[in-house]
Amino acid sequence: DDDDDDDDDDDDDDLAPSAPTSAESEAANALRRTHRIRVTHAGHSCPPPLTSFDDVRTKHGAGPMLMKRLREAGFVDPTPVQRQAVPILLGRHELLAVAPTGSGKTLAFSLPILVALKTRANVGGPRALLLSPTKELAQQSHRILTLLCRGTNSLRTCLLTKATQNNEMDKVDVLVATPLRLKSLIEKRKCNLSFVEFLVLDEADKLFEMGFVEQVDAAVAACDGPRVTRALFSATLPETVEQLARSVMTSPMRLTVGERNSANATIAQRLLFCGRESGKMLALRQLISDGIKPPIIVFTQSKDRAKQLAKQLQGDGLRLGLVHAGMSDAKRQAQVDRFRAGDAWTLVATDLMARGMDFVGVGTVINYDFPASPHAYIHRIGRSGRAGRPGAAVTLFTEEDAERGDLRAIANVMKNSGCNVPDWMLHHAGSGDRSGVRRRKKRKDGREDNPRREAIDPRVAANAAAAATAAAARRREKGRAEAKKRRAEKKASSSEKPKPKPK
């Protein structure tokens, strides 16, 4: 990525001030270098990173019960993003944080909120707002907050849903919401956000995509209190999205962990060539037969293809789950719960599940359909290799994927993550329209359409092929009829012309 070049030039300045003033600042900079933490100060002095979670108690006043809940939940040592984000937010500095998938970003913003707010206060509205792009991610953030709050203090948390939208929001301390539902609540004046002290945008790049900007702007405008601290977290942050993000912040500190826009180094990644679309089902079944490490998440590009793939795999003896946007909230949550509990070992899903969802112990991610972008790829495979655990990712690709020009971008992400990638993949630009492979069309909202693919279900594929053949025949017949009509009209027109008189 070109974006990385600017970051690398500033590494020395970000990691260590030019003239350390104390042994403490030198130790802080050494800790940042060890954990590959880069911070751009934006005119502020950066608080030292946590050496351990005990610092939250000794330096920031966290209560003993909260520390106990941390240990019970399995949070033993802070991850790099947690080490630096927690003291920055507790210091009331605005933050723009970019860290790999599975690096513990949810705790990085949840913990400082709980420590800073301490106990309930009837001020007339929520004092913290967490905004997530999907219901599933919002549910996960709320689950972490509830887990840590249990028995520690009297903070009241609320997940904004259809069932809770009529609750008394003036008695809520921490509100977790999605953009559309929150905007509706604001427009109906059912929630006063002027008392918000912490505004967190989780998966900020998704929130700032076309279609979400209006809702995010409404939330930011509503959080107009004098003490509000804004924070944005994501695993990927394109330059255009970062500019939008900075527009809602005054002078944020910029925190980057590892290489920007790269995948987690604990994930073993590989690309598997399948020839044509029909070869992908054979390749998937061979991977499963060879003993691929479960639990497994298989990603497709659309809900129709997810349903077709799940139907094809039903007879393979797999404990199968299916999640896509066309399902009701209750059905989706039931499938997620089955997968978490181990009742389902293979989950077929769309990109709905690609962002932020933390499934403990996912062994392998399979991209059945090629990701739409490097950012989509990073988020998909990030469901594996979480919290330092080893993971694996296999991406199936066809001749059309390579000729479309999508292969090179993913290969570069793999290389930046430390994987061995053949040189030809790194330089393969594809040939697009020259080979008859259609490039993706831009939609009205600026995003690209998914490429057309042969259906997974053989019957659907056969019906589609028959329909295409019939449509082509109708077009040819219509063309012949129109040509015949034009010839007849031309002949009639020429016969009606008066003959020239003889001289």
Coordinates of all heavy atoms in Angstrom, one line a residue, residues 37 102 478:
I37 N 4.1 -0.6 18.2 CA 3.1 0.5 18.4 C 3.6 1.8 17.9 O 4.7 2.2 18.2 CB 2.7 0.6 19.9 CG1 2.2 -0.7 20.4 CG2 1.8 1.8 20.1 CD1 2.0 -0.7 21.9
G102 N -8.6 -9.3 15.4 CA -8.3 -10.2 16.5 C -7.3 -9.7 17.5 O -6.8 -10.4 18.3
K478 N -35.6 -11.6 -32.7 CA -36.1 -10.3 -32.7 C -35.3 -9.4 -33.7 O -35.8 -8.6 -34.5 CB -36.1 -9.7 -31.3 CG -36.6 -8.3 -31.2 CD -36.6 -7.7 -29.8 CE -37.1 -6.3 -29.7 NZ -37.0 -5.8 -28.3

